[in-house]
Amino acid sequence: MAVTLEAKKREDLKTSNTKALRLAGDVPGIIYGYKVEPQTVSVNSIELLKTVRDEGKNAIISLQIDGKSVDVMLHEYQVDPIKDQLIHADFYAVNLQEELDVHVSIAVDGEAIGVKEGGVLQQPLYELALRAKPKDIPEQITIDVSDLAVGDSILVSDLKEGKNYEILEDENTTIVSILVPDEVPADEPAEDEEETEPEATDEKGEEEEK
């Protein structure tokens, strides 16, 4: 089920009006995509952030504009690096019956046996490329690592594909592995065992003194 979010048409694109929108707590944006003519809008910044936080970045958002509903996904957004505030959002109108290629975050669950024994968990892959219809996109992929011992790993090929999505990653890609912790070589010479270079003597100078 799509999450509902109110949006307003934005026709005055002057810089002064855009600044006023942001000061009022709204973020300017644009809608484009399936059966939609590109149009500029604005939405409440806090509500948009809450939706993404609660539902995930691939959530289907039902934008309500002047009594009409448009199913969209947040395609990308811009953040002010100084104020850490949303300054623009792009919404992509989707066809709910058409598959999309997306990236879904990977969550690791449990404490691996190998970690309890001193191993180190390494996770090279944090997102999984999937193909699915918009409403079938999972919020995240959870992987249980509890049974992994030192030297074990989980590859993409070990995942069970869901009935409603296709995994696009190379099946030989490592998602997580348990590594042996680094050890300091035992044959390194101690500081007091280091060889010292003999002092040079000036034999010619000693003979002249005699």
Side-chain angles (χ1 to χ4, degrees):
M1 183 176 179
V3 180
T4 301
L5 194 63
E6 294 292 332
K8 301 175 183 177
K9 284 186 177 180
R10 187 168 63 95
E11 298 178 351
D12 187 349
L13 305 182
K14 293 180 181 178
T15 302
S16 57
N17 187 56
T18 302
K19 289 182 178 179
L21 279 174
R22 293 182 180 128
L23 287 174
D26 291 340
V27 55
I30 185 171
I31 303 174
Y32 55 90
Y34 179 68
K35 290 187 177 181
V36 171
E37 290 292 329
Q39 57 180 301
T40 52
V41 296
S42 65
V43 298
N44 183 272
S45 179
I46 293 177
E47 290 298 322
L48 178 57
L49 287 173
K50 183 177 184 298
T51 298
V52 175
R53 184 186 67 239
D54 295 345
E55 306 296 332
K57 65 179 182 179
N58 293 316
I60 304 302
I61 302 173
S62 179
L63 281 185
Q64 304 297 310
I65 312 169
D66 293 342
K68 296 181 179 180
S69 177
V70 181
D71 290 321
V72 302
M73 293 176 66
L74 181 61
H75 182 62
E76 60 181 30
Y77 57 89
Q78 299 174 16
V79 178
D80 186 316
I82 298 177
K83 297 181 180 179
D84 194 28
Q85 295 177 343
L86 278 177
I87 58 175
H88 195 272
D90 286 8
F91 297 99
Y92 181 73
V94 296
N95 179 358
L96 297 181
Q97 302 305 315
E98 184 176 288
E99 293 182 328
L100 297 173
D101 292 352
V102 296
H103 285 82
V104 177
S105 61
I106 298 172
V108 172
D109 185 45
E111 184 179 3
I113 295 174
V115 171
K116 295 178 181 179
E117 296 174 346
V120 178
L121 185 145
Q122 184 183 54
Q123 184 178 351
L125 192 66
Y126 286 88
E127 289 188 328
L128 197 66
L130 302 179
R131 177 173 293 154
K133 292 180 179 179
K135 289 187 176 181
D136 294 331
I137 299 172
E139 182 177 343
Q140 66 180 18
I141 303 295
T142 302
I143 297 176
D144 186 1
V145 299
S146 302
D147 294 332
L148 293 187
V150 174
D152 288 346
S153 61
I154 295 178
L155 308 180
V156 170
S157 58
D158 296 321
L159 299 182
K160 295 180 180 180
E161 296 192 11
K163 296 180 180 179
N164 299 323
Y165 63 79
E166 175 188 356
I167 297 176
L168 303 179
E169 298 284 351
D170 185 326
E171 64 178 13
N172 294 317
T173 301
T174 300
I175 300 175
V176 292
S177 57
I178 309 299
L179 306 179
V180 178
D182 294 334
E183 296 180 356
V184 178
D187 57 352
E188 283 190 356
E191 291 184 1
D192 56 354
E193 296 178 355
E194 292 182 357
E195 296 182 2
T196 57
E197 186 175 328
E199 296 182 1
T201 57
D202 189 347
E203 296 181 359
K204 183 177 180 181
E206 290 179 357
E207 293 178 356
E208 290 180 353
E209 288 180 3
K210 294 179 179 179

